[in-house]
Amino acid sequence: MCAGEGILPPGPLSGAVAGMVKFTTTLTPPERPFLSVSWNFKGVNIITSTSINITEPGHTNRISLDRTTGTLELRNLIMEDSGEYTVTIIPDGGLQEQGRITLNIYAPITGATIRSPAAVLIEDRSATNLTCEASGSISTRLWMKDGQPVETSDSISLSMDNRTVFIRPVRSSSHGTYQCQISNPVSSMTAAFNLTVNYGPHNMTITGPAAASTGHRVMLQCMAASVPLANFNWMFNGNVTNVNTSMFVIERFEGKNTGNYTCTARNTVTMKEKSTVLNLRASCSAPRWSFSVFVISTLA
């Protein structure tokens, strides 16, 4: 009969290749030394301690035994050290005590990277995938985008092992920084990849006053969400101007400056363009600021 089946923690115990682990028992040193302490691995006694220590040749110089508690230290770990370990202790004048624990060895994670096919991606027209790779014992892969977990949707899916993210098609929301955290119980590593999706122009607006007083300086700012940045040009009352920046400046407002200011944004990669209009009126009072809401969308 055996007593003390719980003299080892439940486990499993984790260790890294080339590292060290300790199989620590729950025993306190007895008043009289144990008659025998024996550790067994895969049916082989790797060390037996009575009046002398007998160590299995394959573990010579790799193990140390604390004779007072039965605790074993195993060094220079290799993958083949994974498995179940059994300790058997015979006290002086007591019942035999035994414990079992499983050791899992992992190769540390190295060389984490994210691969993606080289291509120019355009929203709603292109598809791509991101593949997370690393060396070592991989237990888990966790995907993040711009600091938030990647969630599956009608355009985003994951492979069964979380190794690859499929994006079909890419959208403006697909643009950003993706991270893959690869881990096992003894190490982790994170790789990052900046995915560029060409999109837009979207969300066209002109900011500026809806009315201005004579003699005042007026600034109209055209904005659009676009990757790459959009090119801008302006028209006034249907006539082409020489302004091709996002800012239209009227140095000294006069009556002749009243009318419709049309800003057109064009993306040279998506070949899309959008226009929006602001109607500027003359006013004797302080100018009021407004946002344009009329948008014309074209695909060149």
Side-chain angles (χ1 to χ4, degrees):
M1 297 293 293
C2 297
E5 291 287 343
I7 65 173
L8 287 173
L13 193 61
S14 299
V17 170
M20 178 271 289
V21 294
K22 271 191 175 183
F23 301 90
T24 303
T25 71
T26 59
L27 301 175
T28 55
E31 293 182 2
R32 292 181 292 178
F34 298 127
L35 296 180
S36 172
V37 178
S38 177
W39 280 89
N40 183 284
F41 175 60
K42 294 183 179 178
V44 176
N45 284 333
I46 57 177
I47 187 169
T48 300
S49 178
T50 52
S51 57
I52 59 172
N53 289 347
I54 301 174
T55 304
E56 188 268 330
H59 288 79
T60 301
N61 299 322
R62 289 212 301 136
I63 57 177
S64 299
L65 179 68
D66 181 348
R67 190 72 167 72
T68 62
T69 62
T71 294
L72 182 75
E73 181 182 283
L74 180 59
R75 301 178 295 276
N76 300 323
L77 296 172
I78 57 177
M79 295 298 292
E80 290 74 17
D81 289 326
S82 294
E84 186 179 75
Y85 290 76
T86 303
V87 60
T88 303
I89 297 176
I90 302 176
D92 186 356
L95 295 175
Q96 174 178 295
E97 301 188 76
Q98 193 173 68
R100 293 181 176 84
I101 192 169
T102 298
L103 172 64
N104 295 321
I105 304 299
Y106 300 88
I109 303 295
T110 59
T113 186
I114 297 175
R115 295 186 295 102
S116 182
V120 176
L121 302 177
I122 298 177
E123 68 169 332
D124 298 325
R125 297 190 221 168
S126 307
T128 192
N129 58 74
L130 306 175
T131 300
C132 183
E133 301 282 16
S135 299
S137 305
I138 299 174
S139 298
T140 61
R141 289 181 175 91
L142 176 64
W143 285 94
M144 307 283 286
K145 178 185 177 293
D146 299 330
Q148 299 296 321
V150 169
E151 296 184 357
T152 57
S153 66
D154 59 340
S155 64
I156 298 177
S157 60
L158 293 166
S159 61
M160 290 294 292
D161 58 1
N162 272 18
R163 179 172 171 264
T164 302
V165 175
F166 301 97
I167 310 175
R168 302 170 180 165
V170 296
R171 294 174 175 162
S172 58
S173 59
S174 308
H175 183 88
T177 300
Y178 289 78
Q179 291 182 313
C180 177
Q181 184 182 66
I182 308 174
S183 62
N184 61 36
V186 299
S187 64
S188 67
M189 194 173 185
T190 299
F193 185 87
N194 294 319
L195 185 68
T196 298
V197 177
N198 298 280
Y199 65 86
H202 298 321
N203 306 323
M204 284 282 298
T205 59
I206 298 175
T207 59
S213 300
T214 300
H216 285 208
R217 188 172 190 260
V218 177
M219 298 176 64
L220 307 179
Q221 175 74 54
C222 188
M223 294 180 289
S226 177
V227 173
L229 294 176
N231 294 331
F232 296 95
N233 60 74
W234 291 82
M235 297 181 69
F236 173 58
N237 288 335
N239 299 314
V240 176
T241 72
N242 61 355
V243 179
N244 55 10
T245 64
S246 64
M247 186 74 72
F248 193 105
V249 179
I250 304 169
E251 293 295 343
R252 184 179 176 84
F253 182 79
E254 299 177 12
K256 66 180 182 179
N257 300 124
T258 61
N260 291 326
Y261 289 81
T262 302
C263 175
T264 299
R266 180 178 176 84
N267 185 314
T268 58
V269 177
T270 67
M271 303 305 292
K272 291 181 179 181
E273 64 179 33
K274 281 188 178 180
S275 297
T276 186
V277 180
L278 182 142
N279 180 261
L280 180 61
R281 305 183 304 277
S283 173
C284 295
S285 59
R288 294 182 295 106
W289 292 81
S290 67
F291 293 86
S292 61
V293 295
F294 178 69
V295 177
I296 305 170
S297 177
T298 63
L299 176 60

